[in-house]
Amino acid sequence: MRIPIKLIIILLVLSSSAVSAPQEGVVEGSVEPQGASAQVSAVREDSTVATVQAGGKDGKFRLSLAAGTYTITVSAPVSSFPVRLENVVVKPGETTVLLPVLIVPGSGKAILAGRVIPPIRDSEVKLIHEGKERAASRIDQEGRYEFRDLPAGEYEVQAIAPGHARDVSPVKVPENQRVRQNAVLLPIVATDGVDWAAGNIRATGVGSRPMDAANAASGRAMAQRAAFADAQRNLLRTIEQIKIDGGRRVGSLMDSGNYAARIQGFVKGYTVVSEKELGDGRIEVILELPLTGPFGLSRYIAE
């Protein structure tokens, strides 16, 4: 019996679609009280794979996920710490319905707020306490975020956005106080001297021994000073080329004398990576500065 060509093609297409179709399931739930703003995330192997906003009139949320086991976290600005639902199983083609998640206001009275600069869409701010994520929030159109009803303590604010270096800042929150902590997200753009993966800026400097040096020791000291000065100039040139956003570089902000002085002060906080003699009376040094973190370039820009 001969099978029509058209029927064979249809069967092949259907077979291919069946093989390639993702084996997904759905997680559904709701937050209470209804109308409470919350962020719901699915975490698998310590990585967030999906995030949706919950709230509105019915407080419902829905996540489409590949089959597997997840931790579902529910974070709300009014709550000090997130609700964690462990070992939520997602089965192909099935819907896993969770019990309503109660958003309990925080026990403290402190507020931690600030802005993410620039206000990039899909930016997320995470609040870390004692090594664990306690809350997370999306920024608004102005880049603002806020965590309320926090107990006093030491926290870490992490600002994250696709294609940008993560900015991490420790912050101490006193009891019943409002604390402001801004963050700067630097776009990851290939720049000589910048290692985005390691989160640092490096520059090399070389200094030569003057011909008229009084003696060998004096000549070496002068070559060393010249090498450090050269490396610092190269650090500054590299920093000036780092982008802040799509249209500005750090160098474009340095027309302000106050700002230029701040960046030059930042450069003086370098770490010496290596220092060596090149064998012809010259000395080479490599200096390093952090991109982000409490002493990084992003902190100087944010302040």
Side-chain angles (χ1 to χ4, degrees), residues 30 44 86 126 155 159 173 182 184 212-213 217 232 243 247 256-257 265 276 293:
S30 62
R44 190 177 188 183
E86 306 284 353
K126 294 184 178 182
Y155 296 84
V173 177
N182 290 342
V184 172
D212 58 351
Q232 290 180 65
K243 283 193 172 185
S256 165
K276 65 180 180 181

Side-chain angles (χ1 to χ4, degrees), residues 203-257:
T204 301
V206 177
S208 300
R209 181 181 303 173
M211 298 296 294
D212 58 351
N215 52 54
S218 175
R220 188 189 187 286
M222 295 173 74
Q224 184 185 51
R225 286 196 297 271
F228 275 87
D230 185 44
Q232 290 180 65
R233 284 193 297 270
N234 292 333
L235 277 175
L236 187 56
R237 292 190 187 103
T238 297
I239 290 168
E240 289 173 345
Q241 297 305 309
I242 294 175
K243 283 193 172 185
I244 299 174
D245 52 36
R248 295 183 300 167
R249 299 179 187 271
V250 174
S252 68
L253 303 180
M254 295 185 66
D255 292 337
S256 165

Side-chain angles (χ1 to χ4, degrees), residues 73-303:
T73 64
V74 182
S75 303
V78 298
S79 180
S80 302
F81 306 121
V83 178
R84 296 177 64 89
L85 307 176
E86 306 284 353
N87 300 318
V88 176
V89 177
V90 178
K91 297 181 179 180
E94 297 186 13
T95 298
T96 300
V97 180
L98 305 176
L99 294 174
V101 179
L102 179 62
I103 303 298
V104 180
S107 57
K109 297 297 182 182
I111 299 173
L112 175 59
R115 288 187 62 208
V116 175
I117 306 166
I120 302 162
R121 184 179 179 183
D122 295 330
S123 295
E124 182 180 29
V125 179
K126 294 184 178 182
L127 188 63
I128 310 298
H129 181 62
E130 296 180 347
K132 296 182 180 180
E133 181 183 329
R134 299 303 188 181
S137 175
R138 298 279 180 170
I139 63 171
D140 65 14
Q141 292 183 346
E142 301 296 325
R144 294 171 297 199
Y145 72 90
E146 185 175 275
F147 298 106
R148 304 182 65 87
D149 299 322
L150 295 176
E154 295 183 355
Y155 296 84
E156 183 179 87
V157 175
Q158 296 185 1
I160 305 165
H164 291 72
R166 179 188 301 242
D167 192 13
V168 180
S169 305
V171 58
K172 187 173 183 179
V173 177
E175 187 174 357
N176 300 334
Q177 298 294 312
R178 182 182 181 91
V179 177
R180 185 174 180 83
Q181 182 65 55
N182 290 342
V184 172
L185 292 171
L186 300 174
I188 298 175
V189 179
T191 306
D192 289 342
V194 177
D195 187 335
W196 294 104
N200 60 48
I201 310 162
R202 280 192 179 186
T204 301
V206 177
S208 300
R209 181 181 303 173
M211 298 296 294
D212 58 351
N215 52 54
S218 175
R220 188 189 187 286
M222 295 173 74
Q224 184 185 51
R225 286 196 297 271
F228 275 87
D230 185 44
Q232 290 180 65
R233 284 193 297 270
N234 292 333
L235 277 175
L236 187 56
R237 292 190 187 103
T238 297
I239 290 168
E240 289 173 345
Q241 297 305 309
I242 294 175
K243 283 193 172 185
I244 299 174
D245 52 36
R248 295 183 300 167
R249 299 179 187 271
V250 174
S252 68
L253 303 180
M254 295 185 66
D255 292 337
S256 165
N258 181 54
Y259 191 84
R262 287 182 56 78
I263 295 299
Q264 288 167 359
F266 166 65
V267 170
K268 293 185 183 299
Y270 59 75
T271 298
V272 180
V273 177
S274 67
E275 178 181 342
K276 65 180 180 181
E277 296 189 16
L278 299 179
D280 56 357
R282 295 184 302 157
I283 292 179
E284 178 189 270
V285 297
I286 299 177
L287 307 182
E288 181 179 281
L289 288 164
L291 274 166
T292 61
F295 305 107
L297 175 64
S298 60
R299 189 83 300 100
Y300 278 73
I301 297 172
E303 293 175 357

